[in-house]
Amino acid sequence: MARQKHMGVFYAHPSGMALGQIKKDTRALEELLRERFHKKLGAASSPAIYVMSGRQEHSSGFTGDWEKWQRRVVKRKHATTGDICYHMFVVPGGECGRATAAILSMALDDGRQVVVWDKETGKLQKVKRIQVTDADDWTSGFRATTE
């Protein structure tokens, strides 16, 4: 298997999270993943990690159609390399809203790596499915489950 040179990571944070916190989390997640890959593969063999927040992706690619944007997040390819843009999808804490749940479900269906990030411990756990906890709650009525 060829070495992966770049690894795009989609940070699926809550929509109401403050911009300062998103930036702080994005840097922390990038550093956490870089350290893990360096430890596992060595610095020379590790991919360059690029973390994109949901806010950044929404600002640059949302055109008014939520379903279209959700599909685009998962299916989009890099214009130059033709590789997928996001190899990993990370949700903090597991609880999420409807749009994030749809993105994570599509990513799982597409065979992508989807994980819950415990920001306190730094632990990353593989997501097995997306569960509806309250279909009427569009901001936090869904959960990425690791069981």
Side-chain angles (χ1 to χ4, degrees):
M1 184 173 166
R3 172 175 104 77
Q4 184 177 343
K5 293 182 180 181
H6 303 281
M7 182 175 186
V9 178
F10 181 80
Y11 178 45
H13 58 81
S15 62
M17 185 179 275
L19 182 58
Q21 186 64 50
I22 293 170
K23 288 180 178 183
K24 181 180 173 187
D25 286 359
T26 300
R27 285 189 301 269
L29 180 58
E30 203 167 273
E31 186 59 32
L32 172 72
L33 293 171
R34 185 175 294 116
E35 285 175 12
R36 289 192 179 197
F37 276 103
H38 284 197
K39 192 175 192 178
K40 184 177 179 182
L41 303 173
S45 298
S46 294
I49 307 290
Y50 299 98
V51 178
M52 175 76 76
S53 72
R55 175 96 32 98
Q56 287 173 290
E57 182 63 48
H58 184 268
S59 294
S60 67
F62 184 73
T63 58
D65 182 329
W66 281 102
E67 285 78 22
K68 185 177 179 181
W69 177 72
Q70 293 160 8
R71 279 190 306 279
R72 182 180 176 274
V73 168
V74 178
K75 300 291 186 181
R76 189 161 61 99
K77 297 198 181 232
H78 191 279
T80 306
T81 66
D83 189 18
I84 55 174
C85 286
Y86 302 115
H87 302 88
M88 177 186 274
F89 295 77
V90 178
V91 61
E95 188 177 88
C96 61
R98 183 180 298 270
T100 299
I103 290 168
L104 299 179
S105 290
M106 281 186 254
L108 284 170
D109 290 346
D110 212 37
R112 305 288 178 76
Q113 191 172 11
V114 179
V115 297
V116 171
W117 175 33
D118 182 331
K119 295 190 297 182
E120 296 298 315
T121 65
K123 188 174 184 180
L124 298 170
Q125 288 186 285
K126 183 178 179 181
V127 171
K128 297 202 169 131
R129 65 187 178 97
I130 306 302
Q131 179 181 17
V132 179
T133 56
D134 181 355
D136 293 329
D137 183 351
W138 286 43
T139 59
S140 60
F142 301 81
R143 176 161 285 288
T145 61
T146 58
E147 303 161 358

